Amino acid sequence: GAGVSQSPSNKVTEKGKDVELRCDPISGHTALYWYRQRLGQGLEFLIYFQGNSAPDKSGLPSDRFSAERTGESVSTLTIQRTQQEDSAVYLCASSLLNRQGATLNEQFFGPGTRLTVL
Amino acid sequence: GQNIDQPTEMTATEGAIVQINCTYQTSGFNGLFWYQQHAGEAPTFLSYNVLDGLEEKGRFSSFLSRSKGYSYLLLKELQMKDSASYLCAALTKAAGNKLTFGGGTRVLVKP
């Protein structure tokens, strides 16, 4: 079946512009994560959508970052007034949840969106 | 908060064995994941441990000790294609049942 998809795969923008990144999770996956990964660095957690619960936004670095998810499907990550330090790969992952609401087994990652802010 | 530590880099020779350690300090621990990430690619799942002990999958094995807050990933019969970053991640209730990743260990396999 189809995996997690993300678009665009690459985005080059000018400082100060807004960008919108899209993630299509695997159908039926109720948990969805956004991460940021700078070159040569680990995964930095941004936001977590867990079923119908309120999203965990504790990882968003500033109020320029926001994300939405429509039901259990598509999610968009929006970065307003982009800065050069926002340049990174933005990864989306989805997973099933067990009855206790915990991530079941593995997260499936999308290919990422490489954002370059000039 | 959640604290997950793993070495930054390791170098090993083709055909050898490498052990990547991961220590975690979390509350409400619900399991430990290992992922592999090749340069420029997305992470892919390797293993999941929730009970103490060793899980073996071909050349890769993962070990967990809940009482010690410790896990390791063992890579045997190293191949050049195993050069990648290996990410340790803990699943914790305290973090809202989401995964928290360590910084990753870059493994370089030399001929």
Side-chain angles (χ1 to χ4, degrees), chain A residues 6-54:
Chain A
Q6 293 186 244
S7 61
S9 53
N10 277 285
K11 177 71 177 179
V12 180
T13 190
E14 294 178 348
K15 178 181 172 182
K17 301 278 189 182
D18 298 351
V19 295
E20 191 172 277
L21 313 180
R22 177 187 169 108
C23 172
D24 282 89
I26 293 173
S27 178
H29 279 195
T30 48
L32 187 149
Y33 300 73
W34 281 98
Y35 297 94
R36 178 169 69 180
Q37 188 172 35
R38 293 195 169 101
L39 189 64
Q41 304 295 311
L43 294 180
E44 179 186 0
F45 165 75
L46 296 178
I47 188 169
Y48 170 44
F49 294 91
Q50 182 185 16
N52 294 321
S53 302

Tab-separated table of all heavy atoms in Angstrom, chain A residues 6-54:
chain	number	residue	atom	x	y	z
A	6	GLN	N	4.875	13.316	1.237
A	6	GLN	CA	5.038	14.713	1.613
A	6	GLN	C	5.260	15.538	0.353
A	6	GLN	O	5.854	15.072	-0.612
A	6	GLN	CB	6.242	14.898	2.551
A	6	GLN	CG	6.069	14.257	3.907
A	6	GLN	CD	7.221	14.590	4.835
A	6	GLN	OE1	7.970	13.703	5.259
A	6	GLN	NE2	7.368	15.868	5.162
A	7	SER	N	4.768	16.761	0.419
A	7	SER	CA	4.991	17.665	-0.707
A	7	SER	C	5.148	19.087	-0.210
A	7	SER	O	4.573	19.451	0.833
A	7	SER	CB	3.825	17.567	-1.702
A	7	SER	OG	2.609	17.942	-1.070
A	8	PRO	N	5.942	19.901	-0.902
A	8	PRO	CA	6.828	19.497	-1.994
A	8	PRO	C	8.037	18.733	-1.461
A	8	PRO	O	8.268	18.709	-0.255
A	8	PRO	CB	7.253	20.848	-2.581
A	8	PRO	CG	7.240	21.780	-1.409
A	8	PRO	CD	6.079	21.322	-0.546
A	9	SER	N	8.807	18.136	-2.345
A	9	SER	CA	10.012	17.439	-1.890
A	9	SER	C	11.122	18.448	-1.600
A	9	SER	O	11.942	18.227	-0.709
A	9	SER	CB	10.479	16.428	-2.942
A	9	SER	OG	10.630	17.060	-4.193
A	10	ASN	N	11.114	19.531	-2.335
A	10	ASN	CA	12.079	20.605	-2.138
A	10	ASN	C	11.364	21.943	-2.219
A	10	ASN	O	10.470	22.120	-3.047
A	10	ASN	CB	13.172	20.579	-3.216
A	10	ASN	CG	14.273	19.603	-2.889
A	10	ASN	OD1	15.097	19.851	-2.039
A	10	ASN	ND2	14.250	18.477	-3.552
A	11	LYS	N	11.778	22.872	-1.351
A	11	LYS	CA	11.190	24.191	-1.388
A	11	LYS	C	12.283	25.210	-1.114
A	11	LYS	O	12.961	25.146	-0.086
A	11	LYS	CB	10.087	24.314	-0.334
A	11	LYS	CG	9.449	25.687	-0.221
A	11	LYS	CD	8.583	26.011	-1.404
A	11	LYS	CE	7.900	27.362	-1.233
A	11	LYS	NZ	7.052	27.699	-2.418
A	12	VAL	N	12.448	26.126	-2.060
A	12	VAL	CA	13.384	27.227	-1.851
A	12	VAL	C	12.559	28.497	-1.746
A	12	VAL	O	11.712	28.767	-2.593
A	12	VAL	CB	14.391	27.338	-3.016
A	12	VAL	CG1	15.345	28.506	-2.768
A	12	VAL	CG2	15.160	26.039	-3.180
A	13	THR	N	12.782	29.265	-0.715
A	13	THR	CA	12.002	30.472	-0.505
A	13	THR	C	12.907	31.598	-0.033
A	13	THR	O	14.059	31.373	0.358
A	13	THR	CB	10.875	30.219	0.519
A	13	THR	OG1	9.986	31.329	0.535
A	13	THR	CG2	11.452	30.033	1.923
A	14	GLU	N	12.373	32.795	-0.097
A	14	GLU	CA	13.123	33.947	0.378
A	14	GLU	C	12.776	34.254	1.828
A	14	GLU	O	11.628	34.042	2.254
A	14	GLU	CB	12.809	35.171	-0.495
A	14	GLU	CG	13.301	35.028	-1.920
A	14	GLU	CD	12.936	36.239	-2.758
A	14	GLU	OE1	12.122	37.067	-2.296
A	14	GLU	OE2	13.456	36.352	-3.880
A	15	LYS	N	13.717	34.754	2.523
A	15	LYS	CA	13.508	35.142	3.911
A	15	LYS	C	12.299	36.055	4.019
A	15	LYS	O	12.128	36.981	3.205
A	15	LYS	CB	14.763	35.846	4.420
A	15	LYS	CG	14.689	36.348	5.847
A	15	LYS	CD	15.980	37.049	6.227
A	15	LYS	CE	15.848	37.718	7.583
A	15	LYS	NZ	17.077	38.441	7.968
A	16	GLY	N	11.435	35.768	4.986
A	16	GLY	CA	10.260	36.590	5.204
A	16	GLY	C	8.989	36.055	4.571
A	16	GLY	O	7.880	36.481	4.919
A	17	LYS	N	9.136	35.129	3.640
A	17	LYS	CA	7.955	34.538	2.994
A	17	LYS	C	7.369	33.440	3.875
A	17	LYS	O	8.048	32.874	4.724
A	17	LYS	CB	8.341	33.927	1.641
A	17	LYS	CG	8.946	34.907	0.650
A	17	LYS	CD	7.880	35.692	-0.065
A	17	LYS	CE	8.509	36.497	-1.202
A	17	LYS	NZ	7.504	37.323	-1.896
A	18	ASP	N	6.093	33.142	3.640
A	18	ASP	CA	5.436	32.033	4.327
A	18	ASP	C	5.533	30.774	3.462
A	18	ASP	O	5.506	30.860	2.231
A	18	ASP	CB	3.953	32.338	4.568
A	18	ASP	CG	3.736	33.548	5.467
A	18	ASP	OD1	4.722	34.058	6.054
A	18	ASP	OD2	2.568	33.977	5.581
A	19	VAL	N	5.631	29.613	4.114
A	19	VAL	CA	5.629	28.349	3.379
A	19	VAL	C	4.649	27.390	4.037
A	19	VAL	O	4.386	27.469	5.247
A	19	VAL	CB	7.024	27.692	3.311
A	19	VAL	CG1	7.982	28.546	2.517
A	19	VAL	CG2	7.561	27.375	4.700
A	20	GLU	N	4.131	26.491	3.220
A	20	GLU	CA	3.197	25.476	3.705
A	20	GLU	C	3.676	24.119	3.220
A	20	GLU	O	3.873	23.919	2.015
A	20	GLU	CB	1.794	25.773	3.187
A	20	GLU	CG	0.707	24.945	3.847
A	20	GLU	CD	-0.676	25.411	3.448
A	20	GLU	OE1	-1.185	26.372	4.045
A	20	GLU	OE2	-1.248	24.818	2.516
A	21	LEU	N	3.854	23.215	4.150
A	21	LEU	CA	4.318	21.868	3.832
A	21	LEU	C	3.181	20.890	4.110
A	21	LEU	O	2.472	21.021	5.107
A	21	LEU	CB	5.540	21.510	4.702
A	21	LEU	CG	6.650	22.571	4.784
A	21	LEU	CD1	7.786	22.081	5.674
A	21	LEU	CD2	7.153	22.943	3.412
A	22	ARG	N	3.101	19.887	3.258
A	22	ARG	CA	1.955	18.977	3.358
A	22	ARG	C	2.411	17.563	3.648
A	22	ARG	O	3.456	17.119	3.176
A	22	ARG	CB	1.186	19.012	2.046
A	22	ARG	CG	0.005	18.053	1.963
A	22	ARG	CD	-0.596	18.029	0.568
A	22	ARG	NE	-1.545	16.935	0.423
A	22	ARG	CZ	-2.868	17.095	0.353
A	22	ARG	NH1	-3.397	18.306	0.404
A	22	ARG	NH2	-3.672	16.055	0.217
A	23	CYS	N	1.599	16.856	4.428
A	23	CYS	CA	1.863	15.447	4.743
A	23	CYS	C	0.586	14.640	4.578
A	23	CYS	O	-0.454	14.993	5.146
A	23	CYS	CB	2.375	15.306	6.178
A	23	CYS	SG	2.508	13.595	6.751
A	24	ASP	N	0.680	13.559	3.819
A	24	ASP	CA	-0.417	12.605	3.686
A	24	ASP	C	-0.019	11.332	4.418
A	24	ASP	O	0.838	10.591	3.921
A	24	ASP	CB	-0.691	12.287	2.215
A	24	ASP	CG	-1.471	13.385	1.536
A	24	ASP	OD1	-0.840	14.316	1.007
A	24	ASP	OD2	-2.704	13.302	1.556
A	25	PRO	N	-0.608	11.039	5.567
A	25	PRO	CA	-0.204	9.848	6.317
A	25	PRO	C	-0.767	8.577	5.688
A	25	PRO	O	-1.574	8.628	4.761
A	25	PRO	CB	-0.830	10.089	7.693
A	25	PRO	CG	-2.073	10.878	7.384
A	25	PRO	CD	-1.696	11.761	6.219
A	26	ILE	N	-0.337	7.459	6.219
A	26	ILE	CA	-0.896	6.179	5.790
A	26	ILE	C	-2.355	6.123	6.258
A	26	ILE	O	-2.667	6.494	7.398
A	26	ILE	CB	-0.079	5.017	6.378
A	26	ILE	CG1	1.316	5.008	5.750
A	26	ILE	CG2	-0.773	3.681	6.145
A	26	ILE	CD1	2.271	4.013	6.367
A	27	SER	N	-3.209	5.654	5.379
A	27	SER	CA	-4.633	5.600	5.692
A	27	SER	C	-4.880	4.771	6.947
A	27	SER	O	-4.363	3.664	7.095
A	27	SER	CB	-5.390	4.981	4.507
A	27	SER	OG	-6.757	4.876	4.799
A	28	GLY	N	-5.653	5.326	7.873
A	28	GLY	CA	-5.977	4.626	9.106
A	28	GLY	C	-5.039	4.914	10.258
A	28	GLY	O	-5.309	4.539	11.406
A	29	HIS	N	-3.937	5.597	9.984
A	29	HIS	CA	-3.008	5.945	11.063
A	29	HIS	C	-3.534	7.172	11.789
A	29	HIS	O	-3.647	8.241	11.212
A	29	HIS	CB	-1.617	6.212	10.489
A	29	HIS	CG	-0.838	4.977	10.220
A	29	HIS	ND1	0.516	4.987	9.990
A	29	HIS	CD2	-1.231	3.680	10.159
A	29	HIS	CE1	0.925	3.736	9.794
A	29	HIS	NE2	-0.120	2.940	9.896
A	30	THR	N	-3.794	6.998	13.076
A	30	THR	CA	-4.384	8.094	13.834
A	30	THR	C	-3.343	9.021	14.439
A	30	THR	O	-3.665	10.121	14.860
A	30	THR	CB	-5.282	7.540	14.954
A	30	THR	OG1	-4.561	6.512	15.658
A	30	THR	CG2	-6.547	6.928	14.377
A	31	ALA	N	-2.103	8.578	14.519
A	31	ALA	CA	-1.045	9.419	15.083
A	31	ALA	C	-0.202	9.999	13.953
A	31	ALA	O	0.160	9.287	13.019
A	31	ALA	CB	-0.164	8.612	16.026
A	32	LEU	N	0.106	11.282	14.068
A	32	LEU	CA	0.917	11.953	13.050
A	32	LEU	C	1.888	12.894	13.738
A	32	LEU	O	1.510	13.643	14.642
A	32	LEU	CB	0.019	12.725	12.072
A	32	LEU	CG	0.696	13.352	10.851
A	32	LEU	CD1	-0.280	13.378	9.668
A	32	LEU	CD2	1.219	14.743	11.127
A	33	TYR	N	3.138	12.838	13.309
A	33	TYR	CA	4.211	13.631	13.901
A	33	TYR	C	4.847	14.508	12.832
A	33	TYR	O	4.988	14.093	11.677
A	33	TYR	CB	5.331	12.730	14.432
A	33	TYR	CG	4.973	11.732	15.491
A	33	TYR	CD1	4.229	10.591	15.200
A	33	TYR	CD2	5.428	11.904	16.798
A	33	TYR	CE1	3.932	9.658	16.183
A	33	TYR	CE2	5.146	10.971	17.783
A	33	TYR	CZ	4.400	9.857	17.469
A	33	TYR	OH	4.115	8.931	18.437
A	34	TRP	N	5.331	15.657	13.245
A	34	TRP	CA	6.223	16.476	12.424
A	34	TRP	C	7.549	16.624	13.171
A	34	TRP	O	7.560	16.875	14.391
A	34	TRP	CB	5.642	17.866	12.182
A	34	TRP	CG	4.588	17.945	11.138
A	34	TRP	CD1	3.232	17.961	11.309
A	34	TRP	CD2	4.787	18.050	9.723
A	34	TRP	NE1	2.590	18.062	10.104
A	34	TRP	CE2	3.516	18.124	9.114
A	34	TRP	CE3	5.922	18.097	8.906
A	34	TRP	CZ2	3.344	18.229	7.730
A	34	TRP	CZ3	5.744	18.206	7.538
A	34	TRP	CH2	4.473	18.275	6.959
A	35	TYR	N	8.643	16.467	12.416
A	35	TYR	CA	9.984	16.651	12.961
A	35	TYR	C	10.761	17.596	12.052
A	35	TYR	O	10.487	17.709	10.862
A	35	TYR	CB	10.751	15.317	13.006
A	35	TYR	CG	10.165	14.256	13.892
A	35	TYR	CD1	9.299	13.300	13.378
A	35	TYR	CD2	10.496	14.185	15.245
A	35	TYR	CE1	8.770	12.306	14.177
A	35	TYR	CE2	9.976	13.186	16.056
A	35	TYR	CZ	9.112	12.252	15.511
A	35	TYR	OH	8.594	11.260	16.306
A	36	ARG	N	11.784	18.202	12.626
A	36	ARG	CA	12.719	18.997	11.844
A	36	ARG	C	14.100	18.366	12.017
A	36	ARG	O	14.468	17.964	13.125
A	36	ARG	CB	12.744	20.449	12.345
A	36	ARG	CG	13.716	21.336	11.620
A	36	ARG	CD	13.510	22.791	11.964
A	36	ARG	NE	13.872	23.143	13.322
A	36	ARG	CZ	13.774	24.366	13.825
A	36	ARG	NH1	13.307	25.358	13.079
A	36	ARG	NH2	14.118	24.615	15.079
A	37	GLN	N	14.832	18.302	10.926
A	37	GLN	CA	16.187	17.745	10.989
A	37	GLN	C	17.136	18.653	10.239
A	37	GLN	O	17.073	18.751	9.004
A	37	GLN	CB	16.237	16.321	10.424
A	37	GLN	CG	17.565	15.629	10.644
A	37	GLN	CD	17.534	14.173	10.257
A	37	GLN	OE1	16.869	13.777	9.302
A	37	GLN	NE2	18.264	13.342	10.997
A	38	ARG	N	18.002	19.314	10.973
A	38	ARG	CA	19.033	20.139	10.356
A	38	ARG	C	20.159	19.227	9.886
A	38	ARG	O	20.327	18.101	10.366
A	38	ARG	CB	19.526	21.193	11.331
A	38	ARG	CG	18.468	22.231	11.668
A	38	ARG	CD	19.094	23.446	12.323
A	38	ARG	NE	18.148	24.547	12.407
A	38	ARG	CZ	17.495	24.861	13.522
A	38	ARG	NH1	17.660	24.165	14.614
A	38	ARG	NH2	16.666	25.890	13.531
A	39	LEU	N	20.957	19.716	8.978
A	39	LEU	CA	22.016	18.920	8.365
A	39	LEU	C	22.931	18.314	9.420
A	39	LEU	O	23.477	19.040	10.264
A	39	LEU	CB	22.817	19.801	7.395
A	39	LEU	CG	23.831	19.088	6.521
A	39	LEU	CD1	23.112	18.119	5.583
A	39	LEU	CD2	24.649	20.088	5.711
A	40	GLY	N	23.057	16.984	9.393
A	40	GLY	CA	23.956	16.302	10.314
A	40	GLY	C	23.474	16.208	11.743
A	40	GLY	O	24.215	15.770	12.625
A	41	GLN	N	22.221	16.618	11.971
A	41	GLN	CA	21.675	16.620	13.330
A	41	GLN	C	20.614	15.533	13.497
A	41	GLN	O	20.207	14.887	12.526
A	41	GLN	CB	21.053	17.982	13.638
A	41	GLN	CG	21.994	19.156	13.469
A	41	GLN	CD	23.134	19.115	14.451
A	41	GLN	OE1	22.947	18.937	15.650
A	41	GLN	NE2	24.347	19.288	13.950
A	42	GLY	N	20.163	15.345	14.733
A	42	GLY	CA	19.104	14.388	15.013
A	42	GLY	C	17.733	14.949	14.697
A	42	GLY	O	17.601	16.061	14.173
A	43	LEU	N	16.708	14.185	15.019
A	43	LEU	CA	15.330	14.603	14.788
A	43	LEU	C	14.867	15.508	15.919
A	43	LEU	O	14.969	15.153	17.080
A	43	LEU	CB	14.413	13.387	14.709
A	43	LEU	CG	14.624	12.441	13.535
A	43	LEU	CD1	13.627	11.295	13.615
A	43	LEU	CD2	14.472	13.158	12.224
A	44	GLU	N	14.330	16.636	15.560
A	44	GLU	CA	13.796	17.590	16.532
A	44	GLU	C	12.277	17.550	16.462
A	44	GLU	O	11.683	17.891	15.429
A	44	GLU	CB	14.325	18.982	16.190
A	44	GLU	CG	13.830	20.086	17.097
A	44	GLU	CD	14.278	21.452	16.609
A	44	GLU	OE1	14.967	21.559	15.569
A	44	GLU	OE2	13.931	22.439	17.281
A	45	PHE	N	11.638	17.120	17.521
A	45	PHE	CA	10.191	16.998	17.559
A	45	PHE	C	9.535	18.373	17.449
A	45	PHE	O	9.965	19.329	18.099
A	45	PHE	CB	9.761	16.332	18.867
A	45	PHE	CG	8.296	16.467	19.176
A	45	PHE	CD1	7.358	15.712	18.486
A	45	PHE	CD2	7.856	17.363	20.135
A	45	PHE	CE1	6.014	15.841	18.765
A	45	PHE	CE2	6.510	17.496	20.423
A	45	PHE	CZ	5.595	16.732	19.736
A	46	LEU	N	8.505	18.482	16.619
A	46	LEU	CA	7.778	19.740	16.468
A	46	LEU	C	6.366	19.648	17.049
A	46	LEU	O	6.000	20.407	17.941
A	46	LEU	CB	7.700	20.137	14.988
A	46	LEU	CG	9.033	20.450	14.301
A	46	LEU	CD1	8.794	20.775	12.830
A	46	LEU	CD2	9.755	21.587	14.986
A	47	ILE	N	5.569	18.722	16.514
A	47	ILE	CA	4.171	18.646	16.918
A	47	ILE	C	3.661	17.228	16.710
A	47	ILE	O	4.169	16.499	15.849
A	47	ILE	CB	3.310	19.670	16.138
A	47	ILE	CG1	1.876	19.729	16.690
A	47	ILE	CG2	3.305	19.354	14.649
A	47	ILE	CD1	1.066	20.910	16.139
A	48	TYR	N	2.663	16.853	17.503
A	48	TYR	CA	2.143	15.482	17.497
A	48	TYR	C	0.633	15.538	17.549
A	48	TYR	O	0.058	16.146	18.451
A	48	TYR	CB	2.712	14.752	18.707
A	48	TYR	CG	2.132	13.411	19.040
A	48	TYR	CD1	1.881	12.456	18.061
A	48	TYR	CD2	1.875	13.066	20.366
A	48	TYR	CE1	1.374	11.218	18.399
A	48	TYR	CE2	1.378	11.828	20.712
A	48	TYR	CZ	1.134	10.896	19.726
A	48	TYR	OH	0.639	9.668	20.054
A	49	PHE	N	0.000	14.916	16.568
A	49	PHE	CA	-1.449	14.774	16.543
A	49	PHE	C	-1.776	13.338	16.945
A	49	PHE	O	-1.314	12.388	16.322
A	49	PHE	CB	-2.004	15.047	15.137
A	49	PHE	CG	-1.822	16.466	14.676
A	49	PHE	CD1	-0.691	16.834	13.967
A	49	PHE	CD2	-2.784	17.429	14.946
A	49	PHE	CE1	-0.521	18.141	13.534
A	49	PHE	CE2	-2.621	18.734	14.524
A	49	PHE	CZ	-1.481	19.092	13.809
A	50	GLN	N	-2.579	13.189	17.983
A	50	GLN	CA	-2.895	11.859	18.500
A	50	GLN	C	-4.391	11.666	18.463
A	50	GLN	O	-5.107	12.071	19.387
A	50	GLN	CB	-2.377	11.719	19.925
A	50	GLN	CG	-2.618	10.349	20.540
A	50	GLN	CD	-2.202	10.304	22.004
A	50	GLN	OE1	-2.020	11.332	22.632
A	50	GLN	NE2	-2.056	9.122	22.553
A	51	GLY	N	-4.867	11.078	17.394
A	51	GLY	CA	-6.285	10.796	17.274
A	51	GLY	C	-7.102	12.066	17.429
A	51	GLY	O	-6.836	13.092	16.816
A	52	ASN	N	-8.115	12.008	18.290
A	52	ASN	CA	-8.990	13.154	18.487
A	52	ASN	C	-8.547	14.058	19.638
A	52	ASN	O	-9.215	15.055	19.930
A	52	ASN	CB	-10.428	12.680	18.762
A	52	ASN	CG	-11.019	11.989	17.554
A	52	ASN	OD1	-10.796	12.420	16.430
A	52	ASN	ND2	-11.752	10.903	17.786
A	53	SER	N	-7.435	13.715	20.270
A	53	SER	CA	-6.950	14.530	21.389
A	53	SER	C	-6.360	15.834	20.868
A	53	SER	O	-6.015	15.950	19.691
A	53	SER	CB	-5.883	13.765	22.177
A	53	SER	OG	-6.385	12.544	22.652
A	54	ALA	N	-6.247	16.802	21.776
A	54	ALA	CA	-5.603	18.060	21.400
A	54	ALA	C	-4.150	17.785	21.025
A	54	ALA	O	-3.482	16.974	21.658
A	54	ALA	CB	-5.667	19.033	22.573
